[in-house]
């Protein structure tokens, strides 16, 4: 079902044949406002919200449910072609260009004989020029994998010991700076993505927010060091990342390695008895955000005094 809401009023509701799991505006222009969605049948659809009866682009993207979707190259920000990435229960991560019908630009799947893990979350990053672009994917077994789309290779992987519910770069359109990965049982990890050691990978700091699942993380568009996590107990937590005095140091092998900073809790609030399943910030109005929860409610919130932090 697609619901169009304006000024807190339901403008239009369109019933679709298959339930929709995820969506993004990331690969569209501000003028087009095309919404890309992934559904329970594994289909990727792009909808013109002015005429939402039938999709402007549709493809059977995966064999099973599309758990997560992200877009890049739209909204008049950054460089490179507009692309969409999808992650599915079938274990594959695929990158799509809506100008190319039926076939993904990139298909990242387990090698023959390797166990297929359920991909729960995907995110674009490192899109600071027309050539470079990365995709980060998180899986049900705790794997976090960073795919380099320019070199068509797995750049880095780690395991955070719990299913990965959400991953997000602090900014998509810059040289990689930080990555946050949230998980089951209330823990999240912040990786410093500026320095990659050949064997140690990226430095990170972890924080136990609470005992329930952290469903999503979203960075404040006006300040990349502030982010919000959405919890399974119906709560929101606002955090700030503090950089260390020096972000690199020499390892035992005399090779540069990253130094992780620290995370401070700024504020938290409980909005519901049910999990907060999704969250997004306004790119225009600092502190304005919207979230949805399992209690069938959509809430619009304002976070104040962010310019004083």
């Amino acid at each position: 079902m697609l619901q169009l809401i304006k000024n807190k009023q339901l403008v239009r509701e369109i019933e679709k044949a298959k339930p929709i799991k995820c969506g993004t505006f990331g690969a569209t222009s501000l003028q087009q406002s095309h919404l890309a969605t992934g559904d329970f049948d594994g289909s990727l659809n792009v909808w013109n919200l002015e005429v939402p009866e039938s999709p402007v682009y549709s493809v059977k993207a995966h064999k099973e449910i599309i758990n997560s979707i992200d877009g890049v190259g739209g909204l008049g920000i950054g460089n490179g072609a507009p692309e969409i990435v999808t992650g599915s229960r079938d274990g594959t991560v695929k990158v799509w260009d809506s100008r190319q019908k039926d076939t993904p630009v990139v298909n990242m799947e387990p090698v023959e004989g390797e166990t297929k893990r359920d991909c729960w979350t995907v995110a674009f990053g490192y899109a600071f020029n027309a050539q470079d672009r990365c995709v980060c994917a998180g899986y049900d077994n705790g794997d976090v994998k960073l795919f380099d789309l320019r070199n068509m290779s797995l750049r880095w992987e780690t395991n955070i010991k719990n299913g990965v519910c959400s991953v997000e770069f602090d900014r998509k359109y810059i040289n990689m700076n930080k990555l946050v990965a949230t998980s089951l049982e209330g823990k999240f990890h912040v990786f410093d993505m500026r320095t990659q050691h050949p064997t140690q990978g990226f430095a990170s700091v972890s924080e136990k927010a609470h005992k329930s699942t952290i469903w999503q993380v979203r960075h404040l568009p006006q300040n990349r060091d502030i982010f919000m996590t959405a919890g399974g107990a119906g709560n929101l937590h606002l955090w700030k990342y503090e950089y260390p005095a020096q972000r690199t140091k020499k390892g035992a092998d005399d090779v540069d390695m990253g130094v992780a900073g620290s995370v401070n809790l700024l504020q938290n609030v409980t909005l519901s008895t049910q999990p907060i399943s999704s969250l997004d910030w306004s790119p225009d109005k600092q502190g304005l955000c919207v979230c949805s929860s399992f209690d069938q409610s959509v809430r619009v919130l304002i976070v104040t005094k962010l310019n004083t932090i």
Side-chain angles (χ1 to χ4, degrees):
M1 180 181 292
L2 287 176
Q3 290 186 329
L4 308 183
I5 299 173
K6 186 176 181 180
N7 296 328
K8 296 191 290 184
Q9 297 293 323
L10 180 63
V11 177
R12 198 169 183 187
E13 183 174 278
I14 303 98
E15 188 77 27
K16 297 301 176 184
K18 300 294 181 181
I20 295 170
K21 178 66 170 66
C22 50
T24 181
F25 285 105
T28 184
S29 68
L30 289 171
Q31 293 74 29
Q32 286 182 321
S33 294
H34 286 178
L35 175 66
T37 62
D39 66 24
F40 279 66
D41 193 44
S43 295
L44 166 64
N45 296 296
V46 179
W47 310 90
N48 180 351
L49 296 184
E50 297 296 325
V51 191
E53 286 76 17
S54 58
V56 296
Y57 175 82
S58 183
V59 63
K60 176 66 174 175
H62 294 271
K63 297 176 182 177
E64 298 185 62
I65 182 175
I66 297 176
N67 288 318
S68 183
I69 191 170
D70 195 20
V72 73
L75 304 178
I77 310 170
N79 298 281
E83 290 179 330
I84 299 164
V85 61
T86 54
S88 169
R89 183 184 293 167
D90 65 14
T92 63
V93 174
K94 299 180 181 181
V95 178
W96 305 87
D97 186 331
S98 60
R99 299 168 300 180
Q100 180 175 308
K101 188 68 175 174
D102 297 333
T103 307
V105 178
V106 182
N107 182 10
M108 293 158 281
E109 59 183 353
V111 297
E112 188 175 346
E114 186 179 354
T115 303
K116 290 186 177 181
R117 307 302 314 194
D118 191 347
C119 179
W120 284 356
T121 177
V122 290
F124 275 116
Y126 199 48
F128 69 100
N129 59 34
Q131 292 78 40
D132 290 288
R133 195 166 281 182
C134 282
V135 166
C136 186
Y139 298 82
D140 65 332
N141 65 337
D143 282 348
V144 178
K145 297 186 179 185
L146 184 66
F147 300 100
D148 186 330
L149 300 186
R150 181 178 186 177
N151 296 314
M152 300 296 288
S153 63
L154 177 64
R155 175 169 173 173
W156 166 75
E157 63 179 326
T158 189
N159 188 283
I160 61 173
K161 300 180 181 178
N162 267 309
V164 186
C165 301
S166 179
V167 293
E168 189 184 53
F169 292 94
D170 58 359
R171 290 289 184 272
K172 294 179 186 180
Y173 302 103
I174 62 172
N175 193 357
M176 286 190 296
N177 186 54
K178 298 192 305 297
L179 171 76
V180 177
T182 74
S183 69
L184 304 174
E185 300 184 10
K187 202 170 190 179
F188 67 87
H189 303 253
V190 184
F191 296 90
D192 187 311
M193 306 298 287
R194 280 293 167 92
T195 306
Q196 182 178 3
H197 188 272
T199 57
Q200 301 296 320
F202 297 103
S204 69
V205 60
S206 62
E207 186 75 25
K208 180 84 169 180
H210 41 70
K211 295 181 180 179
S212 58
T213 297
I214 302 179
W215 285 86
Q216 199 162 58
V217 58
R218 286 292 179 263
H219 289 83
L220 184 68
Q222 295 81 11
N223 187 339
R224 68 186 183 189
D225 299 326
I226 296 175
F227 58 94
M228 185 98 83
T229 56
N235 44 41
L236 296 175
H237 286 68
L238 187 69
W239 307 87
K240 184 178 183 183
Y241 182 84
E242 301 285 352
Y243 293 98
Q246 291 186 321
R247 295 184 67 177
T248 60
K249 65 178 182 180
K250 293 292 184 182
D253 54 2
D254 203 35
V255 176
D256 282 348
M257 61 188 302
V259 178
S262 59
V263 179
N264 296 320
L265 178 63
L266 300 177
Q267 189 56 273
N268 67 89
V269 64
T270 299
L271 301 175
S272 173
T273 57
Q274 300 295 318
I276 305 295
S277 54
S278 66
L279 169 75
D280 202 13
W281 294 100
S282 167
D284 303 313
K285 176 67 175 178
Q286 180 171 276
L288 183 65
C289 63
V290 61
C291 65
S292 66
S293 67
F294 283 14
D295 63 8
Q296 307 295 307
S297 296
V298 175
R299 295 174 172 88
V300 178
L301 312 170
I302 184 75
V303 182
T304 59
K305 301 182 179 179
L306 289 170
N307 59 334
T308 65
I309 297 173

